[in-house]
Amino acid sequence: MMKVYFCGSIRGGRDDVHVYRKIIQKLQNYGAVLTEHVSSPELTDRGEGAAAGDRAIHNRDMDWLGQSDVIVAEVTQPSLGVGYELGRAVDMKKRVLCLFRPSSGRSLSAMIRGADDGELFVVRDYSEEEVENILEEFFKTLKRT
């Protein structure tokens, strides 16, 4: 079974948690989502709390990133953590799909949009209604490689 690592903002802001939930529900059609907790409405912008500890969270997430077959990131809400995860994923030569909603009125970082090579690192602008088709198209291309 394919392992999917989903990236979304936690401490950077939780405004898009409802969008993360929808994306993760669709991703579960393609494999096991290792970071399902990112879409939990109980998870606030304070993060997982002191119980987990920042180092433990980092190490666990890097372990999951290493195990994953593909990374899907919702990058509309700027997040240092998501940017870090994406940089590490590129370093690990993982397949990455970044999803950005222009309707937010935000501009996507040039470091993310400029990394799009059409193959290992793909950036797609989308609206919520389009996400299912974009994921389907992305996962179809994975099967061909």
Side-chain angles (χ1 to χ4, degrees):
M1 177 186 266
M2 185 177 285
K3 292 181 181 177
V4 181
Y5 189 102
F6 175 79
C7 308
S9 173
I10 297 176
R11 294 184 188 175
R14 300 293 287 157
D15 294 347
D16 290 343
V17 70
H18 65 285
V19 179
Y20 302 163
R21 180 93 232 118
K22 287 180 188 167
I23 294 171
I24 286 174
Q25 284 170 345
K26 304 289 183 220
L27 288 173
Q28 288 168 333
N29 296 325
Y30 300 100
V33 180
L34 302 179
T35 52
E36 194 177 346
H37 67 283
V38 173
S39 72
S40 169
E42 288 80 47
L43 190 57
T44 69
D45 62 6
R46 309 273 307 151
E48 293 174 61
D54 288 350
R55 184 177 307 274
I57 292 169
H58 170 274
N59 293 345
R60 177 201 67 200
D61 288 5
M62 287 303 101
D63 183 48
W64 283 343
L65 195 65
Q67 290 177 41
S68 67
D69 298 300
V70 63
I71 289 79
V72 176
E74 211 299 339
V75 295
T76 307
Q77 171 69 50
S79 164
L80 289 169
V82 171
Y84 177 82
E85 290 168 326
L86 292 173
R88 295 294 299 263
V90 167
D91 199 43
M92 294 177 192
K93 311 246 184 303
K94 300 283 184 179
R95 295 287 305 262
V96 177
L97 171 65
C98 294
L99 299 169
F100 178 77
R101 289 187 331 279
S103 64
S104 66
R106 293 192 172 101
S107 293
L108 181 58
S109 165
M111 295 305 290
I112 301 301
R113 195 170 297 281
D116 187 336
D117 62 11
E119 196 177 328
L120 273 184
F121 196 100
V122 176
V123 179
R124 291 291 308 269
D125 289 347
Y126 80 104
S127 62
E128 285 184 58
E129 310 79 63
E130 297 172 309
V131 80
E132 196 165 358
N133 290 339
I134 289 171
L135 291 174
E136 190 178 322
E137 183 185 305
F138 178 74
F139 281 92
K140 261 188 212 156
T141 67
L142 286 183
K143 288 184 173 80
R144 279 183 287 201
T145 55

Short mmCIF file of all heavy atoms in Angstrom, two decimals, residues 76-113:
data_model
loop_
_atom_site.label_atom_id
_atom_site.label_comp_id
_atom_site.label_asym_id
_atom_site.label_seq_id
_atom_site.Cartn_x
_atom_site.Cartn_y
_atom_site.Cartn_z
N THR A 76 -1.27 26.87 0.77
CA THR A 76 -1.90 28.19 0.74
C THR A 76 -1.58 28.99 2.00
O THR A 76 -1.26 30.17 1.91
CB THR A 76 -3.44 28.04 0.57
OG1 THR A 76 -3.70 27.22 -0.58
CG2 THR A 76 -4.10 29.39 0.40
N GLN A 77 -1.67 28.37 3.16
CA GLN A 77 -1.34 29.02 4.44
C GLN A 77 0.18 28.92 4.64
O GLN A 77 0.71 27.82 4.77
CB GLN A 77 -2.06 28.31 5.59
CG GLN A 77 -1.64 28.76 6.99
CD GLN A 77 -2.08 30.17 7.32
OE1 GLN A 77 -3.24 30.51 7.14
NE2 GLN A 77 -1.16 30.99 7.77
N PRO A 78 0.89 30.06 4.60
CA PRO A 78 2.35 29.99 4.76
C PRO A 78 2.73 29.30 6.07
O PRO A 78 2.12 29.55 7.11
CB PRO A 78 2.79 31.45 4.78
CG PRO A 78 1.68 32.19 4.08
CD PRO A 78 0.42 31.43 4.43
N SER A 79 3.74 28.41 6.00
CA SER A 79 4.16 27.64 7.17
C SER A 79 5.63 27.29 7.05
O SER A 79 6.04 26.66 6.07
CB SER A 79 3.32 26.36 7.26
OG SER A 79 3.91 25.43 8.14
N LEU A 80 6.43 27.69 8.05
CA LEU A 80 7.84 27.32 8.06
C LEU A 80 8.01 25.81 8.09
O LEU A 80 8.88 25.26 7.42
CB LEU A 80 8.54 27.93 9.27
CG LEU A 80 8.74 29.45 9.23
CD1 LEU A 80 9.20 29.95 10.59
CD2 LEU A 80 9.73 29.83 8.15
N GLY A 81 7.17 25.13 8.87
CA GLY A 81 7.26 23.68 8.98
C GLY A 81 7.01 22.98 7.66
O GLY A 81 7.75 22.07 7.28
N VAL A 82 5.99 23.41 6.93
CA VAL A 82 5.70 22.81 5.63
C VAL A 82 6.85 23.07 4.67
O VAL A 82 7.29 22.17 3.95
CB VAL A 82 4.35 23.32 5.05
CG1 VAL A 82 4.16 22.86 3.61
CG2 VAL A 82 3.19 22.84 5.92
N GLY A 83 7.39 24.28 4.67
CA GLY A 83 8.54 24.59 3.81
C GLY A 83 9.73 23.71 4.13
O GLY A 83 10.41 23.21 3.23
N TYR A 84 9.96 23.49 5.42
CA TYR A 84 11.06 22.62 5.85
C TYR A 84 10.83 21.18 5.37
O TYR A 84 11.73 20.54 4.84
CB TYR A 84 11.16 22.67 7.38
CG TYR A 84 12.22 21.76 7.97
CD1 TYR A 84 13.55 22.14 8.01
CD2 TYR A 84 11.87 20.52 8.51
CE1 TYR A 84 14.52 21.32 8.56
CE2 TYR A 84 12.83 19.69 9.06
CZ TYR A 84 14.17 20.09 9.09
OH TYR A 84 15.11 19.26 9.63
N GLU A 85 9.60 20.69 5.57
CA GLU A 85 9.27 19.33 5.13
C GLU A 85 9.48 19.17 3.62
O GLU A 85 10.02 18.16 3.16
CB GLU A 85 7.82 18.99 5.49
CG GLU A 85 7.59 18.82 6.98
CD GLU A 85 6.13 18.78 7.37
OE1 GLU A 85 5.29 19.47 6.73
OE2 GLU A 85 5.81 18.04 8.31
N LEU A 86 9.08 20.19 2.86
CA LEU A 86 9.22 20.11 1.41
C LEU A 86 10.69 20.10 1.01
O LEU A 86 11.09 19.35 0.12
CB LEU A 86 8.47 21.26 0.73
CG LEU A 86 6.95 21.19 0.84
CD1 LEU A 86 6.31 22.45 0.29
CD2 LEU A 86 6.41 19.95 0.15
N GLY A 87 11.51 20.92 1.66
CA GLY A 87 12.94 20.92 1.38
C GLY A 87 13.58 19.58 1.67
O GLY A 87 14.38 19.07 0.89
N ARG A 88 13.19 18.98 2.79
CA ARG A 88 13.71 17.65 3.15
C ARG A 88 13.24 16.60 2.14
O ARG A 88 13.99 15.71 1.76
CB ARG A 88 13.30 17.27 4.57
CG ARG A 88 13.87 18.15 5.67
CD ARG A 88 15.40 18.06 5.83
NE ARG A 88 15.88 16.75 6.17
CZ ARG A 88 16.17 16.32 7.40
NH1 ARG A 88 16.03 17.14 8.43
NH2 ARG A 88 16.60 15.10 7.61
N ALA A 89 11.98 16.71 1.71
CA ALA A 89 11.43 15.76 0.73
C ALA A 89 12.19 15.84 -0.59
O ALA A 89 12.50 14.81 -1.20
CB ALA A 89 9.94 16.03 0.51
N VAL A 90 12.51 17.04 -1.02
CA VAL A 90 13.29 17.24 -2.26
C VAL A 90 14.65 16.58 -2.09
O VAL A 90 15.13 15.87 -2.98
CB VAL A 90 13.42 18.74 -2.60
CG1 VAL A 90 14.48 18.97 -3.67
CG2 VAL A 90 12.08 19.31 -3.04
N ASP A 91 15.27 16.80 -0.93
CA ASP A 91 16.58 16.22 -0.64
C ASP A 91 16.53 14.69 -0.69
O ASP A 91 17.48 14.05 -1.09
CB ASP A 91 17.05 16.71 0.74
CG ASP A 91 18.53 16.55 0.92
OD1 ASP A 91 19.29 16.88 -0.01
OD2 ASP A 91 18.94 16.10 2.01
N MET A 92 15.38 14.12 -0.28
CA MET A 92 15.21 12.66 -0.28
C MET A 92 14.75 12.13 -1.66
O MET A 92 14.47 10.95 -1.80
CB MET A 92 14.15 12.25 0.76
CG MET A 92 14.53 12.52 2.19
SD MET A 92 13.12 12.07 3.28
CE MET A 92 13.65 12.78 4.84
N LYS A 93 14.62 13.04 -2.63
CA LYS A 93 14.18 12.68 -3.99
C LYS A 93 12.78 12.06 -4.02
O LYS A 93 12.49 11.13 -4.77
CB LYS A 93 15.18 11.74 -4.67
CG LYS A 93 16.63 12.22 -4.58
CD LYS A 93 17.17 12.56 -5.94
CE LYS A 93 18.64 12.96 -5.96
NZ LYS A 93 19.02 14.08 -5.11
N LYS A 94 11.91 12.59 -3.16
CA LYS A 94 10.52 12.12 -3.10
C LYS A 94 9.68 12.84 -4.16
O LYS A 94 9.99 13.96 -4.57
CB LYS A 94 9.91 12.43 -1.72
CG LYS A 94 10.64 11.78 -0.56
CD LYS A 94 10.30 10.32 -0.44
CE LYS A 94 10.97 9.70 0.78
NZ LYS A 94 10.63 8.31 0.91
N ARG A 95 8.59 12.20 -4.58
CA ARG A 95 7.61 12.85 -5.47
C ARG A 95 6.75 13.77 -4.62
O ARG A 95 6.23 13.35 -3.59
CB ARG A 95 6.72 11.80 -6.14
CG ARG A 95 7.44 10.87 -7.07
CD ARG A 95 7.87 11.51 -8.39
NE ARG A 95 6.79 12.14 -9.13
CZ ARG A 95 6.14 11.58 -10.14
NH1 ARG A 95 6.46 10.36 -10.54
NH2 ARG A 95 5.18 12.22 -10.75
N VAL A 96 6.60 15.02 -5.06
CA VAL A 96 5.89 16.04 -4.29
C VAL A 96 4.82 16.71 -5.15
O VAL A 96 5.09 17.10 -6.30
CB VAL A 96 6.87 17.12 -3.77
CG1 VAL A 96 6.12 18.23 -3.03
CG2 VAL A 96 7.95 16.52 -2.88
N LEU A 97 3.63 16.87 -4.57
CA LEU A 97 2.56 17.67 -5.17
C LEU A 97 2.20 18.78 -4.18
O LEU A 97 1.83 18.49 -3.04
CB LEU A 97 1.32 16.82 -5.45
CG LEU A 97 0.06 17.59 -5.90
CD1 LEU A 97 0.28 18.29 -7.24
CD2 LEU A 97 -1.15 16.65 -5.96
N CYS A 98 2.33 20.03 -4.62
CA CYS A 98 1.92 21.18 -3.80
C CYS A 98 0.63 21.75 -4.36
O CYS A 98 0.52 21.96 -5.58
CB CYS A 98 3.00 22.26 -3.81
SG CYS A 98 4.53 21.78 -3.02
N LEU A 99 -0.32 22.00 -3.48
CA LEU A 99 -1.62 22.53 -3.87
C LEU A 99 -1.78 23.94 -3.30
O LEU A 99 -1.60 24.14 -2.10
CB LEU A 99 -2.73 21.63 -3.32
CG LEU A 99 -2.71 20.18 -3.82
CD1 LEU A 99 -3.68 19.33 -3.00
CD2 LEU A 99 -3.05 20.13 -5.30
N PHE A 100 -2.11 24.89 -4.16
CA PHE A 100 -2.25 26.30 -3.75
C PHE A 100 -3.56 26.87 -4.28
O PHE A 100 -3.91 26.67 -5.45
CB PHE A 100 -1.07 27.13 -4.29
CG PHE A 100 -1.18 28.59 -3.94
CD1 PHE A 100 -0.87 29.02 -2.66
CD2 PHE A 100 -1.59 29.51 -4.90
CE1 PHE A 100 -0.99 30.38 -2.33
CE2 PHE A 100 -1.70 30.87 -4.57
CZ PHE A 100 -1.39 31.30 -3.30
N ARG A 101 -4.30 27.57 -3.40
CA ARG A 101 -5.57 28.19 -3.78
C ARG A 101 -5.39 29.69 -4.03
O ARG A 101 -5.32 30.46 -3.07
CB ARG A 101 -6.63 27.98 -2.70
CG ARG A 101 -7.15 26.57 -2.58
CD ARG A 101 -8.32 26.41 -1.63
NE ARG A 101 -8.38 27.35 -0.53
CZ ARG A 101 -7.68 27.24 0.60
NH1 ARG A 101 -6.84 26.25 0.79
NH2 ARG A 101 -7.82 28.13 1.55
N PRO A 102 -5.35 30.12 -5.29
CA PRO A 102 -5.22 31.56 -5.58
C PRO A 102 -6.36 32.39 -5.01
O PRO A 102 -6.18 33.58 -4.71
CB PRO A 102 -5.22 31.63 -7.11
CG PRO A 102 -4.82 30.26 -7.56
CD PRO A 102 -5.35 29.32 -6.51
N SER A 103 -7.53 31.77 -4.81
CA SER A 103 -8.69 32.49 -4.28
C SER A 103 -8.43 33.05 -2.88
O SER A 103 -9.17 33.90 -2.40
CB SER A 103 -9.92 31.58 -4.24
OG SER A 103 -9.69 30.50 -3.34
N SER A 104 -7.37 32.59 -2.23
CA SER A 104 -7.01 33.08 -0.88
C SER A 104 -6.54 34.52 -0.92
O SER A 104 -6.49 35.19 0.10
CB SER A 104 -5.90 32.21 -0.28
OG SER A 104 -4.69 32.39 -1.04
N GLY A 105 -6.16 35.00 -2.12
CA GLY A 105 -5.61 36.34 -2.23
C GLY A 105 -4.12 36.40 -1.90
O GLY A 105 -3.50 37.45 -1.99
N ARG A 106 -3.54 35.27 -1.49
CA ARG A 106 -2.12 35.21 -1.16
C ARG A 106 -1.30 34.94 -2.42
O ARG A 106 -1.82 34.52 -3.43
CB ARG A 106 -1.85 34.08 -0.17
CG ARG A 106 -2.44 34.29 1.20
CD ARG A 106 -1.87 33.27 2.18
NE ARG A 106 -2.27 33.57 3.54
CZ ARG A 106 -3.24 32.94 4.18
NH1 ARG A 106 -3.90 31.97 3.59
NH2 ARG A 106 -3.55 33.28 5.41
N SER A 107 0.01 35.18 -2.29
CA SER A 107 0.95 34.80 -3.36
C SER A 107 1.82 33.68 -2.83
O SER A 107 2.33 33.77 -1.71
CB SER A 107 1.84 36.00 -3.72
OG SER A 107 1.08 37.01 -4.32
N LEU A 108 1.99 32.65 -3.63
CA LEU A 108 2.82 31.52 -3.21
C LEU A 108 4.29 31.90 -3.29
O LEU A 108 4.73 32.56 -4.24
CB LEU A 108 2.54 30.32 -4.11
CG LEU A 108 3.30 29.03 -3.80
CD1 LEU A 108 3.05 28.55 -2.38
CD2 LEU A 108 2.93 27.94 -4.79
N SER A 109 5.07 31.47 -2.31
CA SER A 109 6.51 31.73 -2.27
C SER A 109 7.18 31.29 -3.57
O SER A 109 6.91 30.20 -4.08
CB SER A 109 7.12 30.97 -1.09
OG SER A 109 8.53 30.91 -1.22
N ALA A 110 8.09 32.12 -4.07
CA ALA A 110 8.85 31.79 -5.27
C ALA A 110 9.69 30.54 -5.05
O ALA A 110 10.00 29.81 -6.00
CB ALA A 110 9.75 32.97 -5.68
N MET A 111 10.07 30.26 -3.80
CA MET A 111 10.88 29.07 -3.51
C MET A 111 10.07 27.79 -3.71
O MET A 111 10.64 26.74 -3.97
CB MET A 111 11.43 29.13 -2.07
CG MET A 111 12.41 30.26 -1.85
SD MET A 111 13.79 30.26 -3.01
CE MET A 111 14.69 28.83 -2.46
N ILE A 112 8.76 27.88 -3.59
CA ILE A 112 7.90 26.72 -3.83
C ILE A 112 7.52 26.68 -5.31
O ILE A 112 7.77 25.70 -6.01
CB ILE A 112 6.63 26.76 -2.94
CG1 ILE A 112 7.01 26.79 -1.45
CG2 ILE A 112 5.72 25.58 -3.26
CD1 ILE A 112 7.83 25.62 -0.96
N ARG A 113 6.94 27.77 -5.81
CA ARG A 113 6.50 27.78 -7.21
C ARG A 113 7.69 27.58 -8.16
O ARG A 113 7.58 26.88 -9.16
CB ARG A 113 5.76 29.08 -7.56
CG ARG A 113 5.01 28.93 -8.87
CD ARG A 113 4.07 30.06 -9.19
NE ARG A 113 2.96 30.30 -8.31
CZ ARG A 113 1.82 29.59 -8.29
NH1 ARG A 113 1.67 28.55 -9.08
NH2 ARG A 113 0.85 29.94 -7.47
#
